[in-house]
């Protein structure tokens, strides 16, 4: 197919990342598309694009397209990909942010266990009040998702002395987990958990994976952490349970709508920690994404399989 001489960057993150590491791409022409309109206007000549959230009505308008490379790990930001040729390679940044996300998840577990939301509220009110911390060691952690992020979380939680149970689509044992079960058992296993971390892609099967029914099976002391996608949690059901005191606490980094609307019931839910989708972030991440993009460009040029391929039928 020949060399890819022009690459397109869609969106602020991709544009900034390439501007900081453009030398990685060699002498290829770089075209920046900061808006959906600017990208759609370029579709007719796009060969390879790096970005996220390319909502294209009909990808058949990009006859030269050979590679879509996402700066994240899930394909939900470009689905449904109407008109996309099966010959187009789709790749993502799966695993690049796994250590950072795992550290973040464990930090949130510790923050919830040590009652930091309540402690900080007392501090702001200048009230000397003792909030009783929980010990994670000896407890059971249920991790939804056994990909790179889930495995890194399991490794760190195991070091804290927790028993770690993983659920995944394919229940083949994963060495980082003490137990591995099929995803269909998630609700049943939630009843055993002292804490639950969600690290799954957004697909129709994972939408509202943690809903009111599952939350009602959880122990009243159960701690919830979501570093995956907002759609995985029924936010209203979780806010209701936090207010009722039937869940021990929740730390959410992702939301169904971002930024989180001012009228969301989560803002003032007791025992909640809310962060603005930053679990993935780490120094050097953007350069790693550009380096992976450059590597996959070369693999496409050589007609070799890309690293971190995404199966659009599965959504990840």
């Amino acid at each position: 197919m020949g060399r890819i001489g022009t690459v397109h960057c869609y969106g602020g993150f991709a544009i900034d990342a390439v501007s900081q590491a453009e030398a990685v791409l060699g002498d290829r022409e770089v075209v920046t598309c900061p808006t959906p309109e600017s990208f759609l206007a370029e579709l007719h000549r796009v060969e390879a694009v790096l970005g996220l959230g390319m909502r294209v009505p009909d990808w058949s308008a990009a006859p030269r397209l050979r590679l879509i490379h996402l700066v994240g790990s899930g394909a939900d930001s470009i689905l449904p990909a109407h008109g996309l040729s099966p010959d187009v390679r789709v790749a993502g940044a799966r695993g690049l942010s796994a250590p950072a996300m795992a550290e973040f998840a464990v930090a949130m577990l510790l923050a919830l266990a040590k009652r930091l939301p309540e402690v900080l509220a007392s501090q702001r009110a200048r009230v000397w009040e003792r909030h009783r911390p929980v010990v994670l060691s000896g407890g059971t952690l249920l991790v939804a998702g056994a990909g790179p992020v889930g495995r890194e979380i399991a490794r760190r939680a195991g070091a804290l002395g927790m028993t770690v149970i993983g659920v995944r689509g394919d229940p083949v044992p994963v060495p980082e987990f003490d137990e591995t079960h099929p995803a269909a058992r998630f609700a049943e296993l939630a009843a055993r958990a002292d804490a639950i971390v969600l690290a799954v892609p957004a697909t129709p099967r994972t939408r509202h994976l943690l809903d009111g029914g599952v939350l009602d099976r959880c122990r009243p002391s159960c701690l919830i952490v979501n570093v995956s996608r907002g759609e995985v949690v029924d936010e209203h059901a979780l806010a209701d349970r936090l207010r009722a005191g039937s869940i021990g606490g929740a730390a959410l980094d992702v939301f169904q709508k971002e930024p989180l609307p001012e009228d969301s019931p989560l803002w003032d839910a007791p025992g909640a920690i809310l962060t603005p989708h930053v679990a993935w972030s780490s120094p050097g991440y953007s350069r790693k994404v550009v380096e992976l993009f450059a590597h996959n460009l070369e693999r496409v040029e050589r007609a070799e399989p890309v690293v971190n391929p995404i199966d659009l039928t599965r959504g990840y």
Side-chain angles (χ1 to χ4, degrees):
M1 294 286 289
R3 189 171 188 271
I4 297 174
T6 301
V7 297
H8 284 67
C9 302
Y10 174 77
F13 180 88
I15 292 171
D16 291 345
V18 169
S19 70
Q20 297 171 33
E22 193 165 344
V24 173
L25 298 172
D27 61 354
R28 305 176 198 271
E29 177 192 9
V30 176
V31 179
T32 60
C33 300
T35 66
E37 294 76 17
S38 60
F39 181 64
L40 291 175
E42 285 283 322
L43 265 185
H44 66 284
R45 73 184 194 106
V46 173
E47 298 178 81
V49 56
L50 175 69
L52 192 70
M54 289 83 77
R55 299 292 185 182
V56 175
D58 186 356
W59 283 99
S60 65
R64 302 176 61 185
L65 183 63
R66 297 165 63 186
L67 173 66
I68 296 174
H69 207 295
L70 305 178
V71 298
S73 57
D76 52 298
S77 70
I78 64 167
L79 291 174
H82 295 304
L84 187 67
S85 168
D87 296 328
V88 175
R89 312 287 183 85
V90 183
R94 186 172 186 260
L96 294 187
S97 61
M101 292 179 71
E103 286 186 11
F104 193 94
V106 171
M108 292 300 102
L109 281 176
L110 287 166
L112 293 172
K114 305 313 173 186
R115 304 304 186 204
L116 286 194
E118 295 91 334
V119 168
L120 293 174
S122 294
Q123 178 182 331
R124 287 190 294 269
R126 303 190 178 208
V127 174
W128 185 264
E129 183 177 2
R130 288 190 171 94
H131 301 281
R132 302 299 179 185
V134 174
V135 176
L136 294 178
S137 178
T140 297
L141 173 64
L142 174 62
V143 180
V149 175
R151 294 198 299 271
E152 291 289 343
I153 291 169
R155 186 178 295 116
R156 287 160 176 76
L160 290 175
M162 301 191 79
T163 297
V164 187
I165 302 171
V167 296
R168 58 183 309 202
D170 180 356
V172 174
V174 178
E176 288 84 357
F177 294 91
D178 296 292
E179 302 176 25
T180 309
H181 298 279
R185 294 192 62 192
F186 175 73
E188 169 196 345
L189 294 166
R192 290 177 51 189
D194 297 291
I196 298 172
V197 176
L198 303 166
V200 293
T203 71
R205 294 177 65 182
T206 61
R207 177 172 173 78
H208 285 187
L209 177 68
L210 190 71
D211 61 10
V214 176
L215 288 166
D216 288 341
R217 299 181 72 162
C218 293
R219 298 172 180 175
S221 57
C222 187
L223 307 175
I224 308 292
V225 175
N226 186 15
V227 293
S228 55
R229 288 290 189 271
E231 293 84 354
V232 173
V233 173
D234 183 335
E235 294 176 353
H236 287 274
L238 177 59
D240 288 345
R241 271 66 176 181
L242 287 169
R243 284 192 170 79
S246 58
I247 289 292
L252 309 175
D253 184 56
V254 288
F255 304 91
Q256 293 181 29
K257 186 175 181 180
E258 298 181 1
L260 185 65
E262 291 183 6
D263 61 353
S264 169
L266 290 169
W267 281 114
D268 57 359
I273 300 175
L274 312 181
T275 53
H277 205 149
V278 293
W280 59 270
S281 182
S282 63
Y285 177 79
S286 60
R287 183 177 182 87
K288 291 177 183 177
V289 169
V290 178
E291 288 174 343
L292 180 59
F293 179 46
H295 181 62
N296 276 333
L297 284 168
E298 294 172 355
R299 294 186 70 86
V300 169
E301 290 169 342
R302 297 192 298 264
E304 297 175 355
V306 294
V307 176
N308 284 351
I310 288 177
D311 182 347
L312 294 182
T313 63
R314 295 192 303 170
Y316 59 94

